[in-house]
Structure formats: C-alpha cells, structure tokens
Amino acid sequence: MFDEKRAARHGLALTAAGLLALAGCSTGDAAADESDRFELPDQDADMNLSVEILETYDHDPGSFTQGLELAEHPEYGTVLYESAGLYGESDIRITDPATGEVLASQDLPAEDFAEGLTLTDDAVWQITWQEHHAYKRDPVTLDILETVEYEGEGWGICYDGERLVMSDGSDTLTFRDPATFEETGTVQVQDRNGAPVYSINELECSNGSVWANLWQTDQIVAIDPDSGAVQATVDAAGLLTGDESAGADVLNGIAAAEEEGTFYITGKLWPKLFLVRFV
C-alpha cells in the first residue's frame, strides 16, 4: 500500500462533506523528505540507466495501452487507471495491478482514438489522438464531466501537482491548467548536446521530472520540465520474451508505483506489466 506521503499525492479520499479528493503526483511539496527522492544529475551530466525487474504481473494483451497511472480508489483500493487506444476499441479502465483484472471501464465513441490520461485533484483527464477531445472524468465512476476541445494532436499527459504536462509526438511539452485545460506555456525538449528529442509519447510526472516513453523505441527519458533538458535515459529493451513480444506492439505506459523510485511499465498489446526500478 502507499505510505502516507504517496497516498496524499496519489490517493482518493472522502472529505467530511462526502466529496472525492484525488491527488496526482506532486513536485512542489517543499516539506517532503528529500531523502527518499529519486535523484537525477544536473542537466549537463549524462545518466544512462537500465531496468531492474522487481515483479511481473499479467496484463490484458488486448489493451493498446496509451496512458497509465496508479491511485487509490474508494471501492477497489490500489488500482491502475489505463487508457487504451485504437479506433472502435478505445476505452478507459480501472484495473487491479496484481492480476490485470478490469474492475471498471467505459468505451469511447468509435471515432475517437484514446491516448494518455492523468489524475488531478478531483478528476481524470483523458486525451485523444487527432480528434481534439479532452475528457474530464469522475475518478470514481469514470463518467464524463466535461469535454474540452484543444488544437493539435494528443499523445501523453501527466499532472505535476500544479499543472498538466502534455505531449503531441514532437519535441515540445505543453503546459495546461488542470481545471480548464487551457494552455499556459510550452518547453522544447533537448538532449545534452542540444539536439531536439522527438516522438515524446506517454508521460509520468514524478519527483520534479517528467518521465516519457519515446515512441517506437525501448527508451524512457527523464525530462526537466522547466528547462526541457533530458536528465536521464533508460534502456528498457528485452522485458518481454520472444514468444510474448511476437504479438505485442511498442513499449508504452509508465506509472509511478507505491515505493518511491519504482514504476509500473507495460506496452501496447503487452501480456505483462512490470514493477521496475531504474538503476
């Protein structure tokens, strides 16, 4: 289960008024204990990481995973919220991380191609690829509360406790207001040589960094959202066996896990979900 601090940032709780309050991963808690943070180097340093597998779980091989985030649900306990794509097959679902069981789900319209999702203080935001729809949902029921239009493509999205961070497959991250979805700024992502980093896909905000899958690669990068500098690169190749990878698509899906510095990762049409540490 979550410790107290992570529960406060990722958990669902009922207030005295009976309303739901939900917090995504926060980066602005000045009172947080720095000793348990996953430390990354200065932006001019180079950190190449690999994946240490801690646990392996079953995952729905029919899910074209586009977004992944861990939270506490008042009925189901510790769950993964997952956005699954493809036209005519897109949905949002709540799953049991330990078994892969789908506990609740809602389909998207057949003309929508679902992409990333994230949880804010009181909602789930789910974006779409080329349909320009962002769905604000109730985190308990998954019901749509509001639909917002935006320009450009939607790929990945995460919440850093103050702002939404969104990718569109380019080298740019866009910041948005978590209540209105209005754009508030952008930053261009660059490697340590100053070259642009493209194909930024699924995102996870964790401890001041934006972790991002790079589409069609086995790489995950950690990005400083203020400067756009890549702080670290993770080589996540070889997680699936030959038989498992035969019917699978690319790596996609990263969610900060219960223990600080650990993550759940999976991919599109992957039969496995991995609890990992980057080393």
Side-chain angles (χ1 to χ4, degrees):
M1 297 297 293
F2 294 135
D3 62 29
E4 184 177 352
K5 184 173 73 175
R6 289 194 67 79
R9 291 184 295 177
H10 292 269
L12 294 168
L14 295 177
T15 68
L19 298 177
L20 180 72
L22 180 144
C25 20
S26 171
T27 63
D29 184 2
D33 181 1
E34 295 295 323
S35 65
D36 69 352
R37 289 169 63 91
F38 185 87
E39 294 296 337
L40 288 169
D42 294 335
Q43 65 182 52
D44 60 348
D46 188 14
M47 181 180 275
N48 295 314
L49 306 175
S50 59
V51 173
E52 176 188 0
I53 298 176
L54 304 177
E55 298 286 347
T56 303
Y57 307 100
D58 289 333
H59 179 256
D60 179 6
S63 175
F64 201 75
T65 305
Q66 303 286 59
L68 197 69
E69 190 159 334
L70 193 74
E72 285 288 314
H73 190 280
E75 179 180 354
Y76 304 124
T78 304
V79 299
L80 283 168
Y81 286 77
E82 184 169 346
S83 179
L86 296 178
Y87 289 115
E89 300 181 30
S90 291
D91 67 24
I92 182 173
R93 58 183 66 184
I94 297 172
T95 68
D96 183 338
T99 66
E101 179 186 0
V102 177
L103 304 172
S105 68
Q106 284 202 18
D107 293 336
L108 272 70
E111 63 271 18
D112 278 352
F113 193 119
E115 288 281 348
L117 60 68
T118 195
L119 284 72
T120 65
D121 296 332
D122 59 0
V124 179
W125 281 105
Q126 183 184 30
I127 58 177
T128 54
W129 179 31
Q130 295 180 322
E131 293 69 54
H132 316 295
H133 298 153
Y135 295 112
K136 186 176 186 179
R137 296 179 179 271
D138 184 299
V140 176
T141 65
L142 302 181
D143 291 341
I144 295 174
L145 305 174
E146 183 180 1
T147 302
V148 177
E149 300 286 328
Y150 60 87
E151 296 182 359
E153 294 188 358
W155 287 42
I157 191 168
C158 66
Y159 177 58
D160 71 1
E162 296 180 357
R163 59 191 177 179
L164 298 170
V165 186
M166 183 170 161
S167 63
D168 62 4
S170 70
D171 63 338
T172 299
L173 295 178
T174 299
F175 305 116
R176 296 184 179 276
D177 184 286
T180 66
F181 213 74
E182 291 183 1
E183 182 177 329
T184 60
T186 62
V187 67
Q188 287 187 300
V189 179
Q190 300 178 336
D191 65 19
R192 67 190 304 260
N193 297 315
V197 177
Y198 296 104
S199 298
I200 300 169
N201 200 2
E202 214 271 307
L203 306 179
E204 175 72 355
C205 295
S206 180
N207 281 340
S209 297
V210 176
W211 296 84
N213 291 121
L214 299 185
W215 184 50
Q216 293 188 320
T217 78
D218 293 315
Q219 290 186 341
I220 297 169
V221 295
I223 302 165
D224 180 339
D226 294 321
S227 67
V230 171
Q231 302 165 300
T233 301
V234 181
D235 181 359
L239 294 176
L240 297 178
T241 67
D243 288 343
E244 290 169 342
S245 62
D249 206 299
V250 296
L251 177 78
N252 201 52
I254 177 170
E258 297 95 327
E259 181 183 344
E260 204 76 42
T262 64
F263 296 87
Y264 289 102
I265 59 176
T266 189
K268 306 173 192 287
L269 308 179
W270 279 30
K272 298 296 181 184
L273 170 77
F274 299 92
L275 177 63
V276 304
R277 180 181 292 115
F278 301 144
V279 297

